[in-house]
């Protein structure tokens, strides 16, 4: 069995057992349909199903999901969201909810660990994402944005999501790995793309050794093995690179960090396996998410001449705050990730409701962002909401919150502003009348169904 196959086997999401029996009368109201039907609703039709549940059962409702019919209680009002994010990390576990990503991301992934292990990993990763580090990445990102935007064909409609995906993949490869060697980049691009594009059915099959020898499962394992070989080779080369101390990319920063509290040999740095898992996590978490938010931003700006004029003026005047507001409003109106979840390890009270251990609590991003009490006229695209800093806390949650808040939030905002600046100072963006778009579920994220089609014309 290869190392990759072992990881698939080891990290296969396994049944956590039913534990003490939870029954509907212990929880807020919810539908009675079988867990299978509710799972399909939540995972496959979340943009219709979740608002429907709120209309039917009120602000807090319970759902039952496969596997094991586990319970998930969905909240979205700011007071409850605050309690979920501020909950004791020893009680509110996030890693368990992400177990499905285990076979790809690996057991050390920041997304999958909890408690003290998470605290240590987060502390070691932080230096690669603080303000100083972000300033170091700006130039690379701006250069890539310029090259990409300069290659666009004017007057022809195209799927902005595809172009944004290509751009953010390039940015993450260069910023995270610091790879500029074209041969290695050419090897990495399809490997990462294939990892991101894994079909949900493939998820269901991993961990079953027999399946790993056939069809899409075999191709997934082979792709992972290839990606791992490239990553481990890059780590080995970088450990001995003469310019390691001066390099600003994430991998080099991670190779230099030390945990002062560690008593392990090697001075508490990250091991090769830990580095591999964190790199894969960053590659996968940081690429399509930002591309999706950007494509919605271009789409919304392109639909309204007044918004376009305002955003163009900002781009030409170097008003980055307004461009950031455009991006934030696009993330509000079109959440990329629908909800964040925490699994209760002990009984806890959320929103005044006592909940037993074993329940999963969710902060629904879809509902929080569409609530008129949080955002007046929630269906309108109005970046001005984010200008002047009047937004009430815990009403805008695209990056989650608390100790698990997205570690790449600052990076994606920086990257998004750089790209919008480049596009809007070069072109007018329009959306043709027949190119209306709507969200479509794509594994964990939601993306524009038709790729957010736009046309660009030079001014
Ligand atoms: C628009 C872009 C992005 C969105 C909408 C997004 C969204 C999220 C959300 C909702 C979470 C879960 C937070 C929680 O549980 O409270 C998360 C976690 C995470 N994100 Fe992002 N993300 C984005 C970009 C990025 C980027 C660019 C990177 C890295 C380069 C990244 C890396 C991560 C990691 C490592 C975690 C796990 C954090 C932890 O558990 O401590 N994300 N993200």
């Amino acid at each position: 069995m290869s190392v990759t196959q072992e990881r698939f086997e080891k990290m296969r999401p396994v049944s956590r057992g039913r534990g003490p029996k939870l029954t509907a009368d212990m929880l807020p109201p919810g539908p009675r349909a079988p867990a299978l039907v509710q799972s399909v609703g939540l995972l496959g039709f979340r943009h219709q199903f979740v608002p429907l549940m709120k209309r039917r059962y009120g602000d807090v409702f319970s759902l039952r999901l496969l596997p094991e019919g586990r319970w998930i209680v969905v909240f979205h009002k700011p007071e409850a969201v605050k309690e979920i994010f501020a909950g004791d990390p020893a009680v509110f576990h996030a890693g368990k909810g992400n177990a499905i990503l285990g076979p790809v991301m690996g057991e050390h992934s920041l997304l999958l660990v909890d408690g003290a292990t998470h605290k240590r990993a987060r502390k070691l990763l932080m230096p690669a994402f603080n303000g100083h580090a972000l300033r170091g990445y700006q130039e690379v990102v701006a250069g890539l944005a310029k090259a990409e935007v300069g290659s666009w064909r004017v007057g022809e409609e195209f799927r902005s999501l595809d172009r944004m995906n290509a751009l953010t993949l390039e940015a993450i490869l260069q910023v995270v790995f610091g790879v500029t060697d074209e041969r290695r980049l050419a090897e990495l691009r399809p490997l990462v793309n294939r990892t991101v594009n894994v079909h949900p059915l493939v998820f269901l099959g991993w961990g079953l050794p027999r399946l790993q020898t056939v069809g899409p499962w075999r191709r997934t394992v082979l792709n992972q093995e290839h990606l791992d070989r490239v990553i481990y080779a890059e780590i080995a080369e970088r450990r001995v690179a003469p310019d390691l101390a001066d390099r600003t990319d994430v991998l080099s920063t991670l190779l230099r960090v030390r945990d002062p509290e560690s008593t392990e040999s090697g001075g508490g740095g990250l091991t090769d396996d830990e580095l591999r898992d964190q790199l894969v996590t960053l590659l996968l978490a940081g690429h399509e998410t930002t591309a999706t938010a950007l494509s919605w931003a271009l789409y919304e700006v392109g639909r309204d001449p007044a918004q376009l004029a305002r955003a163009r003026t900002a781009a030409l005047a170097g008003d980055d705050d307004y461009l950031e507001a455009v991006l934030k409003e696009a993330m509000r109106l079109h959440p990329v990730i629908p909800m964040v979840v925490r699994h209760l390890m002990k009984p806890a009270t959320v929103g005044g409701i006592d909940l037993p251990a074993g329940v999963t609590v969710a902060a629904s991003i879809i509902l929080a962002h569409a609530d008129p009490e949080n955002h007046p006229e929630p269906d309108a695209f109005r970046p001005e909401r984010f200008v002047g800093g009047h937004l009430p806390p815990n009403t805008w949650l695209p990056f989650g919150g608390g100790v698990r808040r997205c570690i790449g939030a600052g990076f994606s905002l920086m990257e998004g502003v750089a790209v919008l600046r480049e596009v809007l100072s070069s072109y007018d963006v329009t959306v043709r009348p027949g190119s209306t778009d709507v969200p479509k579920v794509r594994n964990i994220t939601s993306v524009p169904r038709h790729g957010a089609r736009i046309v660009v014309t030079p001014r």
Side-chain angles (χ1 to χ4, degrees):
M1 198 186 263
S2 72
V3 175
T4 309
Q5 280 171 313
E6 270 173 34
R7 183 179 315 115
F8 273 57
E9 170 70 10
K10 190 155 107 194
M11 296 304 293
R12 172 164 53 109
V14 288
S15 164
R16 290 194 292 275
R18 288 180 182 273
K21 191 158 172 51
L22 298 175
T23 50
D25 56 343
M26 300 160 80
L27 300 170
R32 295 212 180 142
L36 172 66
V37 175
Q38 298 189 41
S39 304
V40 171
L42 186 69
L43 302 177
F45 302 93
R46 56 179 75 127
H47 296 278
Q48 298 78 29
F49 182 74
V50 172
L52 175 71
M53 292 299 105
K54 177 185 175 284
R55 285 199 297 278
R56 196 164 282 176
Y57 300 104
D59 284 345
V60 185
F61 52 88
S62 307
L63 301 173
R64 275 203 102 176
L65 300 182
L66 295 177
E68 311 157 17
R70 74 189 161 99
W71 288 98
I72 177 164
V73 182
V74 182
F75 296 84
H76 73 282
K77 288 292 179 188
E79 314 74 53
V81 169
K82 183 177 167 198
E83 287 170 13
I84 292 174
F85 288 159
D88 177 356
V91 178
F92 290 70
H93 274 194
K96 285 197 179 49
N98 299 326
I100 187 117
L101 303 167
V104 174
M105 291 189 173
E107 63 184 308
H108 307 291
S109 165
L110 188 63
L111 268 162
L112 299 178
V113 290
D114 280 304
T117 317
H118 174 261
K119 198 169 166 197
R120 171 182 180 266
R122 180 106 188 175
K123 199 159 110 196
L124 293 177
L125 284 173
M126 258 337 268
F129 291 95
N130 63 23
H132 175 72
L134 291 185
R135 280 188 290 282
Y137 307 144
Q138 259 168 351
E139 205 179 314
V140 177
V141 171
L144 290 170
K146 202 174 181 56
E148 167 61 35
V149 170
S151 74
W152 288 356
R153 286 225 274 232
V154 297
E156 281 178 27
E157 190 178 57
F158 64 96
R159 289 168 51 96
S160 65
L161 178 63
D162 297 351
R163 296 320 313 154
M164 291 298 122
N165 263 327
L167 174 55
T168 57
L169 174 60
E170 214 55 38
I172 207 86
L173 284 176
Q174 297 205 18
V175 165
V176 168
F177 281 115
V179 180
T180 44
D181 171 39
E182 187 43 49
R183 269 202 3 244
R184 187 146 281 174
L185 282 174
E187 193 176 6
L188 274 167
R189 276 184 210 113
L191 295 171
V192 175
N193 270 332
R194 280 199 287 271
T195 311
V196 176
N197 291 335
V198 164
H199 192 274
L201 267 183
V202 175
F203 275 111
L204 292 179
W206 43 47
L208 302 175
R210 275 225 207 115
L211 270 186
Q212 287 174 14
T213 57
V214 294
W217 291 277
R218 182 172 155 72
R219 285 197 292 280
T220 304
V221 171
L222 289 178
N223 187 65
Q224 272 289 295
E225 284 174 355
H226 191 167
L227 180 63
D228 284 357
R229 274 199 304 279
V230 180
I231 291 181
Y232 281 117
E234 193 66 40
I235 294 172
E237 280 171 33
R238 194 67 57 78
R239 276 199 192 278
V240 294
D243 61 346
L244 178 63
D246 306 318
R247 296 184 63 121
T248 53
D249 56 89
V250 174
L251 171 56
S252 301
T253 308
L254 295 184
L255 280 169
R256 291 191 301 258
V257 291
R258 292 288 175 270
D259 178 0
E261 285 159 35
S262 168
T263 51
E264 288 164 28
S265 61
L270 290 156
T271 64
D272 283 2
D273 290 343
E274 285 175 317
L275 281 166
R276 179 262 167 220
D277 291 356
Q278 305 305 6
L279 291 176
V280 172
T281 301
L282 297 174
L283 284 177
L284 300 192
H287 147 220
E288 276 207 333
T289 42
T290 312
T292 304
L294 265 166
S295 66
W296 279 122
L298 292 176
Y299 170 82
E300 289 297 341
V301 164
R303 287 212 307 162
D304 181 346
Q307 291 293 352
L308 175 66
R310 178 81 182 81
R312 272 201 62 116
T313 307
L316 292 168
D319 181 356
D320 285 355
D321 287 347
Y322 188 79
L323 296 180
E324 189 172 294
V326 168
L327 192 65
K328 287 178 165 173
E329 175 66 343
M331 291 184 194
R332 182 200 65 79
L333 189 55
H334 303 288
V336 178
I337 303 216
M339 57 167 64
V340 291
V341 293
R342 305 286 186 260
H343 188 75
L344 294 185
M345 305 306 288
K346 288 186 187 161
T349 305
V350 176
I353 302 171
D354 294 332
L355 297 166
V359 164
T360 297
V361 290
S364 169
I365 302 176
I366 291 181
L367 292 179
H369 287 190
D371 187 339
E373 283 180 21
N374 291 345
H375 310 282
E377 293 181 53
D379 297 336
F381 179 76
R382 294 218 319 250
E384 299 76 21
R385 301 176 203 274
F386 291 89
V387 178
H390 300 305
L391 206 69
N394 301 303
T395 57
W396 183 74
L397 344 161
F399 298 113
V403 295
R404 305 301 296 232
R405 184 171 191 265
C406 175
I407 202 170
F411 177 80
S412 70
L413 291 176
M414 177 276 285
E415 181 178 19
V417 168
V419 175
L420 288 180
R421 195 191 306 125
E422 194 55 44
V423 176
L424 294 167
S425 56
S426 311
Y427 301 118
D428 273 337
V429 177
T430 46
V431 171
R432 289 195 172 144
S435 295
T436 310
D437 221 325
V438 287
K440 174 185 105 165
V441 173
R442 194 185 126 83
N443 295 337
I444 291 158
T445 58
S446 296
V447 299
R449 177 175 295 280
H450 306 295
R453 303 177 77 87
I454 58 168
V455 179
V456 295
T457 41
R459 240 160 79 98

